[in-house]
């Protein structure tokens, strides 16, 4: 079909135009011409270096970091980007102290985009490209802006007047030690651009080229003529820093434009005469940008099942931001918006299909995203290799801000004065190098962690309030606890004795081989007393190891003590505290029983930092946690946790323990601790999907032979999704309490499958106050014929009705182990109740049936008591609890019946209960009149008094009294 000449695409010149194609095409039809031309264009694009370059850049810059992938793959670069505020600055603004990213002052009239920074201005020099420098503090969004810029250029939506965009990482360039030319530097990373004509330096072709250097602070640039020779040949080999300097000087490819990003402290490293325009990234300056970010992260990227929950979450966040809360101040930095979304995604949208995530892992990933590869220069001369005069920025953060955080946790403080910041951060600085590091740190990093306090008055001493001294707090409260935990686990809080013994031990250890060699040679010639000195020196490292192990035990004791503070027992569990710090508290706040600031995340972070995955990330940040340290702390913490668990723990503290064990991600330790627990009672804990996942994960670490005596999840706001997560945990319990969870009929299918599971050992199942209804019970009782473990079934106030009870009565004979059945408060009539008791009387093992609070007549009650007596001597009596009386006598179970009614006063229908209490009074009065004994009549009076007290409580809507 096509001419042979055109089939050999390698012989076609790139400049072939439509006229030449028509001339060569000759007699072929018009339609065939267009078809061939379209195919030819596609083929030529496959060989176009710039098109190849765009495709590869699009592939590289679209790659999501591991920190993004952990959220289930919902996020994409196209949907999650929100432009931060970019302000063009002049010399006067740069001459003074650069503004903090937390300041609210903005200049909207000077807000610009990156594309606008490359537009022609009055200062534009014909024939010379622009040098644009964008600067900002850590976390303001420099790397994100660069990434979006490259992707948009590849898509042709921005900076389209540049044919070629060549991005470089200055961190990569700083690692190169060999001399190289500009063209080799480009082809080293972009082989497809090797010998591209735009980089030849001929004519003015370079005007269509834009170089992008990200993170200029990582390179040591020297603009002195004596240090960086002049060069205009792109083929001449030079050190990479000299190549960059000549590009900025406009000696090398003067027509090319350059975009540079750098931190605040490195702003003056490039002389002003080599920069055409300056711009500062100021992050998200108003709640609308923050809301747009939260919407793109939480709402647009959430699955359909959680869309409404995500929308409500965004609204709560926005309300909290509008209050000018501390969170609003922190979220001026896009990085903290990321942390907020990541934390909320973890708290609200955890499921069994997503990768395993921990709160400690999120905070560690957050720091790796912002400080990975970041270094802190010492101000050394440029003649030294850059690796020799730079140290880990994160390690410097731990030793300064982490120390401040640790002191705050130790003395239960969250706010600090300027004088205290001066004392703890750089207070002992002496040398010029340390002063240089401190200046860089304060300029670039300090505002990332600390912000002026907005919620003044909390945890602030009276003296500071009177002096109106400005207070600073951590941008998010949990960051203080994380850094304090990292400070401790890294061993930075050593005592003077530990520091001394470590130094001496290292010195002796390094010389131990030489000492041993000398001792072996001269042992026969050296006097005994001198020889003993050598042995003492050899033992010194063992002394340090002993002191060090004691320190690890101290860390373990601290973790246990902080986790089980008595004064924190009535606080909400730690995960709810984290969520409230982010979305705020809406409605009445819970009463606080302690004036001290709780730091319950602190021990949990310490445990999480020992996990191998977090230690790997920290190693990349220059913070090393030794495996021996992990082993010693883990060995010590087990006995302290087991000892504390032998004491009764409130549900909130027990939930915090489960979170700690989950953060550890250490199955062996978890199994050793959990097997010492006989019951887990989490009453009134708001069991979110995350908490259910944690509970199930922790119990899955235990051996198959381990079973809980009781798992109490009453009043935990469970639903069908969370129950599916808990099914593995249900298989580890004998007594399961699911009362007061508003579980509907759809839940019964899941519970039926659980009872049919051969691994299930559930003996007691309490489903009181769940609207199971007749349809739900019909599904549930399908499991009775095959279940071999259930002995106690409570269906009180589940909406059974007569039909549900009749279906239950038919199935009872197929289950031979049931001993107690509770169907109280189910609107059961006389006939259905009588049939149920008849079925129970024929059952070989049922001993007790609960039928109180049902609309039964007096005649039916009398008949029920009579039918409870077995028909034959071989049968057993069935105890029927229909009222506080049994005929003319008091019921043996009148006290448990009244206790149940009292405890449920806030959830049951008051009118119905009041009516039933009046029936109880009638029964008591009739029974008292039948008694001849004064003692029995007084006993009836006593029970009547208890019933009247509960009746008064219901009528006055009073809280239940404790007995």
């Amino acid at each position: 079909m096509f001419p042979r000449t055109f089939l050999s695409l390698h012989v076609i010149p790139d400049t072939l135009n439509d006229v030449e194609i028509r001339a060569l095409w000759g007699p072929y039809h018009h339609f065939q011409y267009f078809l061939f031309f379209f195919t030819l264009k596609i083929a030529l694009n496959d060989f176009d270096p710039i098109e190849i370059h765009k495709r590869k850049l699009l592939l590289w810059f679209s790659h999501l970091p591991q920190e993004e992938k952990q959220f289930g793959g919902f996020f994409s670069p196209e949907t999650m980007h929100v432009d931060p505020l970019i302000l063009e600055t002049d010399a006067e603004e740069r001459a003074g102290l650069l503004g903090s990213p937390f300041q609210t002052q903005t200049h909207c009239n000077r807000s610009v985009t990156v594309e606008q920074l490359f537009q022609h201005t009055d200062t534009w020099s014909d024939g010379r490209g622009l040098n644009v420098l964008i600067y900002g503090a850590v976390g303001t969004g420099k790397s994100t802006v660069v990434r979006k810029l490259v992707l948009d250029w590849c898509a042709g939506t921005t900076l389209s007047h540049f044919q070629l965009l060549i991005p470089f990482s200055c961190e990569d360039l700083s690692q190169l030690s060999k001399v190289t030319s500009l063209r080799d530097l480009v082809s080293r990373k972009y082989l497809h651009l090797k010998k591209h004509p735009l980089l030849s330096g001929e004519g003015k072709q370079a005007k269509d080229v834009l170089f992008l250097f990200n993170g200029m602070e990582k390179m040591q640039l020297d603009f002195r003529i004596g240090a960086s020779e002049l060069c205009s040949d792109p083929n001449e080999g030079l050190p990479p820093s000299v190549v960059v300097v000549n590009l900025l000087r406009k000696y090398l490819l003067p027509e090319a434009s350059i975009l540079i990003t750098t931190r605040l402290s490195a702003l003056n490293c490039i002389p002003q005469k080599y920069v055409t325009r300056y711009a500062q990234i100021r992050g998200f300056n108003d709640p609308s940008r923050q809301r747009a970010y939260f919407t793109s992260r939480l709402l647009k990227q959430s699955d359909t099942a959680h869309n409404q929950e995500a929308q409500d979450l965004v609204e709560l966040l926005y309300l909290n931001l509008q209050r000018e809360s501390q969170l609003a101040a922190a979220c001026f930095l896009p990085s903290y918006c990321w942390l907020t979304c990541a934390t909320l995604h973890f708290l609200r949208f955890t499921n069994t299909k997503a990768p395993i995530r921990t709160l400690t892992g999120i905070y560690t990933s957050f720091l790796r995203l912002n400080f990975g590869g970041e270094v802190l220069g010492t101000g050394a001369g440029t003649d030294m290799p850059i690796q020799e005069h730079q140290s880990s920025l994160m390690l410097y953060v731990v030793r300064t801000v982490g120390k401040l955080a640790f002191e705050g946790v130790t003395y239960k403080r969250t706010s600090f004065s300027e004088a205290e910041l001066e004392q703890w951060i750089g207070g002992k600085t002496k040398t010029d190098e340390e002063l240089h590091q401190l200046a860089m740190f304060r300029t670039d990093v300090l505002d990332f962690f600390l912000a002026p306090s907005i919620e003044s008055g909390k945890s602030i001493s009276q003296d500071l309030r009177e002096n109106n001294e400005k207070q600073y707090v951590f941008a998010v409260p949990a960051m203080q606890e994380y850094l304090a935990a990292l400070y401790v686990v890294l061993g930075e809080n050593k005592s003077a004795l530990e520091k001394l013994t470590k130094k001496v031990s290292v010195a002796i250890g390094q010389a131990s081989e030489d000492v041993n060699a000398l001792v072996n040679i001269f042992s026969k010639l050296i006097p005994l007393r001198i020889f003993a000195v050598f042995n003492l020196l050899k033992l010194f490292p063992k002394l340090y190891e002993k002191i060090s192990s004691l320190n690890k035990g101290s860390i373990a004791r601290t973790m246990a003590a902080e986790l089980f503070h008595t004064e924190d027992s009535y606080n909400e569990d730690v995960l709810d505290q984290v969520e409230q710090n982010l979305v705020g508290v809406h409605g009445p706040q819970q009463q606080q029983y302690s004036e001290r600031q709780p730091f319950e995340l602190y021990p949990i972070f310490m445990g999480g930092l020992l996990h191998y995955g977090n230690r790997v990330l920290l190693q990349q940040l220059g913070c090393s946690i030794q495996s021996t340290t992990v082993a010693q702390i883990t060995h010590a913490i087990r006995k302290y946790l087991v000892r504390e668990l032998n004491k009764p723990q409130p549900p909130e503290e027990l939930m915090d323990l489960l979170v700690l064990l989950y953060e550890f991600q250490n199955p062996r330790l978890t199994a050793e601790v959990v097997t010492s627990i006989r019951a887990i009672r989490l009453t009134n804990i708001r069991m979110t999907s995350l908490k259910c996942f944690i509970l199930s994960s922790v119990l899955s670490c235990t051996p198959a032979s381990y079973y809980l005596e009781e798992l109490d999840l009453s009043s935990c706001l469970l639903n069908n999704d969370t129950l599916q997560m808990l099914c593995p945990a249900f298989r580890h319990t004998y007594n399961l309490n699911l009362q007061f969870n508003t579980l509907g009929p759809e839940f019964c299918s899941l519970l039926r499958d659980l009872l049919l599971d051969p691994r299930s050992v559930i003996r007691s199942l309490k489903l009181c106050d769940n609207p199971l209804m007749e349809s739900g019970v019909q599904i549930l009782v399908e499991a009775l014929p095959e279940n071999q473990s259930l002995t106690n079934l409570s269906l009180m106030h589940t909406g059974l009705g007569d039909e549900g009870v009749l279906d239950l009565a038919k199935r009872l004979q197929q289950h031979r182990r049931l001993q107690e059945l509770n169907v109280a408060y189910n609107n059961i009539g006389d006939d259905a109740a009588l049939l149920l008791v008849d079925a129970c009387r024929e059952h070989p093992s049922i001993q007790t049936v609960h039928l109180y609070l049902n609309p039964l007549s007096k005649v039916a009650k009398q008949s029920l008591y009579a039918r409870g007596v077995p028909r034959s001597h071989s049968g057993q009596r069935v105890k029927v609890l229909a009222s506080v009386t049994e005929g003319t006598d008091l019921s043996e179970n009148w006290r448990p019946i009244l206790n149940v009614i009292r405890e449920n006063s806030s959830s049951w229908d008051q009118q119905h209960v009041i009516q039933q209490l009046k029936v109880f009074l009638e029964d008591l009065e009739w029974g008292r009149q039948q008694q001849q004994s004064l003692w029995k009549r007084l006993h009836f009076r006593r029970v009547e008094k208890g019933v009247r007290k509960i009746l008064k409580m219901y009528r006055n809507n009073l809280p239940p009294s404790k007995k």
Side-chain angles (χ1 to χ4, degrees):
M1 177 178 178
F2 299 111
R4 184 181 301 274
T5 306
F6 292 109
L7 294 178
S8 301
L9 294 177
H10 64 279
V11 302
I12 301 176
D14 292 344
T15 58
L16 201 65
N17 57 37
D18 292 358
V19 177
E20 292 171 322
I21 291 178
R22 288 193 183 96
L24 291 172
W25 188 258
Y28 285 87
H29 297 294
H30 191 64
F31 172 76
Q32 292 174 322
Y33 156 69
F34 277 107
L35 180 61
F36 168 74
F37 183 68
F38 179 73
T39 306
L40 180 62
K41 285 290 185 182
I42 294 176
L44 289 177
N45 284 340
D46 290 338
F47 290 92
D48 185 359
I50 293 182
E51 292 299 326
I52 295 174
H53 184 61
K54 287 183 177 181
R55 287 199 297 271
K56 290 193 174 184
L57 285 183
L58 188 64
L59 179 64
W60 293 335
F61 282 81
S62 297
H63 177 73
L64 290 174
Q66 192 65 34
E67 286 78 6
E68 301 287 7
K69 293 180 180 179
Q70 64 181 331
F71 303 122
F74 291 133
F75 303 145
S76 64
E78 296 78 13
T79 58
M80 67 184 182
H81 181 78
V82 177
D83 291 321
L85 176 68
I86 303 177
L87 298 178
E88 187 173 6
T89 58
D90 53 30
E92 293 182 358
E93 291 173 326
R94 297 191 304 274
L97 182 64
L98 294 173
S100 165
F102 293 104
Q103 293 177 352
T104 58
Q105 181 182 3
T106 59
H107 305 274
C108 297
N109 58 323
R110 298 169 59 190
S111 175
V112 294
T113 64
V114 177
E115 187 169 21
Q116 290 172 343
L117 292 172
F118 285 95
Q119 293 177 352
H120 290 267
T121 63
D122 297 337
T123 59
W124 180 276
S125 177
D126 188 26
R128 294 168 67 94
L130 286 177
N131 290 349
V132 176
L133 191 150
I134 296 179
Y135 61 96
V138 175
T140 50
K142 299 186 296 296
S143 298
T144 305
V145 168
V146 167
R147 178 181 182 177
K148 185 67 165 56
L149 176 68
V150 174
L151 292 175
D152 288 347
W153 177 80
C154 293
T157 58
T158 189
L159 297 176
S160 55
H161 56 282
F162 291 110
Q163 293 186 33
L164 184 60
L165 186 152
I166 305 177
F168 284 105
S169 167
C170 292
E171 183 180 2
D172 293 341
L173 295 179
S174 67
Q175 304 298 322
L176 299 179
S177 58
K178 297 181 179 179
V179 296
T180 182
S181 66
L182 173 62
R183 301 196 73 170
D184 290 339
L185 198 62
V186 172
S187 62
R188 180 188 181 95
K189 187 169 185 180
Y190 308 106
L191 182 61
H192 47 274
L193 297 180
K194 187 175 184 179
K195 298 181 180 181
H196 197 281
L198 291 179
L199 302 174
S200 65
E202 300 176 358
K204 295 186 178 181
Q205 295 186 83
K207 66 181 177 61
D208 296 326
V209 178
L210 172 62
F211 289 98
L212 194 163
F213 295 99
N214 186 33
M216 188 60 75
E217 71 278 354
K218 296 185 177 68
M219 293 189 71
Q220 297 292 326
L221 301 183
D222 194 340
F223 285 82
R224 296 174 298 173
I225 298 296
S228 301
E229 60 182 291
L230 300 179
C231 175
S232 61
D233 184 3
N235 296 304
E236 182 178 347
L238 295 169
S241 61
V242 178
V243 173
V244 175
V245 167
N246 279 283
L247 281 172
L248 292 170
R249 284 173 173 165
K250 297 303 180 185
Y251 274 88
L252 185 61
L253 299 185
E255 302 85 5
S257 295
I258 302 174
L259 175 62
I260 309 148
T261 68
T262 188
R263 292 201 305 236
L264 292 171
S265 61
L267 181 60
N268 296 323
C269 291
I270 302 176
Q272 185 176 344
K273 64 181 179 180
Y274 297 129
V275 180
T276 312
R277 304 177 78 170
Y278 289 88
Q280 182 180 10
I281 297 183
R282 300 291 288 270
F284 297 152
N285 64 317
D286 58 78
S288 61
R289 291 177 188 263
Q290 298 166 2
R291 183 176 187 176
Y293 186 93
F294 294 142
T295 300
S296 66
R297 284 280 181 163
L298 296 174
L299 183 56
K300 292 182 181 179
Q301 303 305 321
S302 62
D303 54 0
T304 307
H306 296 99
N307 190 60
Q308 184 59 46
E309 183 179 358
Q311 187 172 355
D312 295 340
L313 194 58
V314 171
E315 291 300 324
L316 291 177
L317 271 172
Y318 187 60
L319 288 174
N320 198 21
L321 295 174
Q322 287 180 316
R323 297 174 181 171
E324 296 185 355
S325 62
Q326 200 67 50
L327 177 68
C331 286
F332 270 88
L333 291 177
S335 292
Y336 277 103
C337 291
W338 182 93
L339 179 61
T340 299
C341 291
T343 305
L344 288 176
H345 196 279
F346 170 69
L347 293 173
R348 289 290 191 95
F349 304 123
T350 294
N351 57 64
T352 55
K353 299 179 181 178
I356 297 294
R357 295 171 292 162
T358 63
L359 192 61
T360 313
I362 289 175
Y363 274 76
T364 307
S365 299
F366 169 72
L367 293 178
R368 194 183 81 94
L369 280 174
N370 288 279
F371 296 96
E374 295 285 350
V375 293
L376 195 63
T378 62
T382 56
D383 56 334
M384 296 175 59
I386 190 171
Q387 296 86 351
E388 295 183 12
H389 58 83
Q390 290 186 336
S391 58
S392 166
L393 179 57
M394 191 63 228
L395 187 58
Y396 192 89
V397 168
V398 174
R399 291 172 176 171
T400 54
V401 184
K403 184 177 182 181
L404 177 71
F406 174 72
E407 292 297 323
V409 170
T410 302
Y411 297 104
K412 306 301 179 185
R413 294 184 54 199
T414 58
S415 62
F416 310 91
S417 65
E418 292 182 351
E420 289 171 326
L421 294 185
E422 180 68 26
Q423 174 187 355
W424 293 111
I425 300 177
K428 298 181 180 180
T429 302
K430 296 179 181 180
T431 66
D432 291 341
E433 291 183 356
E434 290 175 340
L435 287 172
H436 179 76
Q437 283 188 332
L438 180 61
M440 293 176 62
F441 179 76
R442 285 178 170 172
T443 303
D444 294 333
V445 182
L446 191 57
D447 285 337
F448 182 84
F449 292 102
L450 296 169
S453 176
I454 292 177
E455 300 177 1
S456 59
K458 294 184 178 180
S459 302
I460 300 177
S461 65
Q462 186 64 31
D463 294 339
L464 294 178
R465 295 176 190 171
E466 293 176 356
N467 296 332
N468 292 323
E469 189 171 357
K470 193 173 184 179
Q471 296 291 306
Y472 292 86
V473 297
F474 281 83
V476 292
M479 183 58 71
Q480 177 180 354
E481 300 180 69
Y482 178 90
L483 290 177
L486 185 56
Y487 180 78
V488 172
V489 173
L490 286 176
E492 294 296 331
N493 65 325
K494 294 184 179 72
S495 63
L497 176 61
E498 289 177 287
K499 293 178 180 178
L500 176 63
T501 52
K502 181 178 182 180
K503 292 179 180 179
V504 175
S505 176
V506 170
I508 295 176
Q510 292 174 346
S512 60
E513 294 183 2
D514 297 333
V515 172
N516 286 333
L518 290 174
V519 169
N520 291 332
I521 294 173
F522 297 108
S523 58
K524 297 182 179 180
L525 304 176
I526 296 177
L528 183 61
R529 295 179 181 177
I530 300 178
F531 187 74
V533 175
F534 280 94
N535 286 334
L536 180 61
L537 291 175
K538 292 168 64 178
L539 290 173
F540 201 95
K542 297 183 179 180
L543 175 62
Y544 168 70
E545 292 178 2
K546 182 65 176 178
I547 297 175
S548 178
S549 64
L550 292 176
N551 178 57
K552 306 307 183 295
S554 176
I555 294 176
R557 286 195 303 274
T558 301
M559 293 173 65
E562 290 290 339
L563 189 68
F564 297 108
H565 265 311
T566 305
E567 57 269 28
D568 297 338
S569 299
Y570 297 97
N571 293 331
E572 295 187 1
D573 66 85
V574 67
L575 295 179
D576 280 353
Q577 292 178 38
V578 172
E579 183 172 331
Q580 289 176 7
N581 286 332
L582 296 178
V583 301
V585 179
H586 302 271
Q589 298 189 18
Q590 184 178 3
Q591 179 183 357
Q592 294 294 328
Y593 292 84
S594 173
E595 295 182 358
R596 299 200 314 166
Q597 174 70 28
F599 288 100
E600 295 175 276
L601 264 179
Y602 170 54
I604 291 174
F605 278 141
M606 278 198 285
L609 287 170
L610 302 180
H611 174 49
Y612 176 75
N614 291 322
R615 288 191 284 128
V616 169
L617 294 180
L618 289 171
Q619 182 71 40
Q620 298 172 11
L621 292 171
C623 302
S624 178
I625 302 176
Q626 301 298 326
S627 298
T628 54
T629 301
V630 176
Q632 290 173 347
I633 296 177
T634 303
H635 177 74
I637 189 62
R638 185 191 67 82
K639 64 178 182 180
Y640 289 112
L641 291 179
V642 171
R643 185 180 65 185
E644 291 294 334
L645 287 173
N646 289 329
K647 309 172 187 176
Q649 298 295 339
E652 294 79 10
E653 297 298 306
L654 197 54
M655 187 69 238
D656 291 349
L657 169 68
L658 296 175
V659 175
L660 172 65
L661 294 175
Y662 175 77
E663 292 285 325
F664 257 114
Q665 291 292 300
N666 186 328
R668 181 175 180 180
L669 172 68
T670 300
E672 291 176 350
V673 174
V674 173
T675 50
S676 65
I677 303 175
R678 305 315 304 167
I680 295 180
R681 299 182 178 91
L682 300 176
T683 306
N684 295 319
I685 296 293
R686 184 175 64 97
M687 293 297 290
T688 61
S689 58
L690 172 61
K691 295 175 189 175
C692 293
F693 183 76
I694 288 174
L695 175 60
S696 183
S697 299
V698 168
L699 288 178
S700 67
C701 297
T702 58
S705 58
Y706 169 75
Y707 296 102
L708 286 168
E709 286 295 330
E710 181 183 6
L711 177 58
D712 188 351
L713 297 174
S714 57
S715 302
C716 289
L717 302 179
L718 296 174
N719 55 44
N720 198 54
D721 292 336
T722 53
L723 283 170
Q724 288 182 346
M725 289 186 179
L726 288 170
C727 277
F730 293 160
R731 299 189 185 99
H732 284 272
T733 183
Y734 290 125
N735 302 303
L736 180 60
N737 188 345
L738 298 175
Q739 300 179 121
F740 307 104
N741 279 297
T742 64
L743 300 173
E746 65 279 0
F747 154 74
C748 292
S749 298
L750 188 149
L751 192 57
R752 175 199 58 197
D753 296 339
L754 177 65
L755 292 175
L756 290 174
D757 191 335
R759 295 170 293 177
S760 175
V761 293
I762 296 176
R763 299 171 182 171
S764 174
L765 179 60
K766 296 182 180 180
L767 299 172
C768 308
D769 285 88
N770 289 297
L772 303 180
M773 313 307 290
E774 297 177 3
S775 58
V777 174
Q778 290 175 356
I779 298 174
L780 179 63
V781 296
E782 293 176 3
L784 292 181
E786 299 184 28
N787 179 268
Q788 300 298 322
S789 62
L790 194 63
T791 60
N792 189 324
L793 178 60
S794 179
L795 298 172
M796 181 174 62
H797 197 206
T798 53
L800 291 181
D802 289 346
E803 293 297 326
V805 169
L806 292 176
D807 192 65
L808 177 62
K810 295 176 183 178
R811 299 274 188 172
L812 282 179
Q813 296 302 323
Q814 299 174 349
H815 187 276
R816 314 301 292 177
R817 297 177 61 87
L818 197 64
Q819 298 177 6
E820 186 171 354
L821 178 63
N822 189 341
V823 290
Y825 195 179
N826 271 299
N827 198 28
I828 301 173
D830 293 352
D831 295 338
L834 291 171
L835 286 173
L836 177 64
V837 172
D838 286 341
C840 292
R841 184 172 56 176
E842 300 298 328
H843 195 278
S845 60
I846 292 182
Q847 301 173 3
T848 306
V849 180
H850 299 253
L851 282 167
Y852 45 87
L853 298 182
N854 285 302
L856 303 175
S857 64
K858 292 183 179 180
V859 175
K861 291 177 184 178
Q862 295 296 331
S863 180
L864 289 173
Y865 300 139
R867 297 194 182 197
V869 179
R871 294 179 178 178
S872 61
H873 294 288
S874 60
Q876 62 178 0
R877 182 179 185 273
V878 177
K879 185 185 298 183
V880 180
L881 306 180
S883 178
V884 292
T885 60
E886 292 183 7
T888 59
D889 294 325
L890 283 173
S891 171
E892 297 178 359
N893 300 91
W894 67 266
R895 187 175 284 104
I897 293 175
L898 294 184
N899 286 338
V900 169
I901 297 174
R902 183 186 298 107
E903 292 169 358
N904 293 279
S905 61
S906 60
S907 59
W908 283 354
D909 180 12
Q910 293 188 358
Q911 294 300 323
H912 176 80
V913 176
I914 289 174
Q915 181 181 359
Q916 291 298 314
L917 289 174
K918 291 180 178 179
V919 173
F920 283 178
L921 290 175
E922 293 176 2
D923 294 342
L924 287 169
E925 184 178 358
W926 181 82
R928 177 168 48 82
Q929 293 174 355
Q930 307 302 316
Q931 301 301 322
Q932 302 296 325
S933 170
L934 177 63
W935 177 253
K936 287 188 176 182
R937 288 200 297 269
L938 290 175
H939 198 185
F940 269 84
R941 290 284 189 185
R942 177 188 174 190
V943 178
E944 284 184 41
K945 183 179 180 181
V947 174
R948 295 185 187 278
K949 186 176 181 180
I950 298 176
L951 184 60
K952 182 180 179 181
M953 180 183 68
Y954 267 83
R955 285 173 173 170
N956 297 332
N957 293 321
L958 298 175
S961 59
K962 296 182 179 180
K963 281 197 172 183

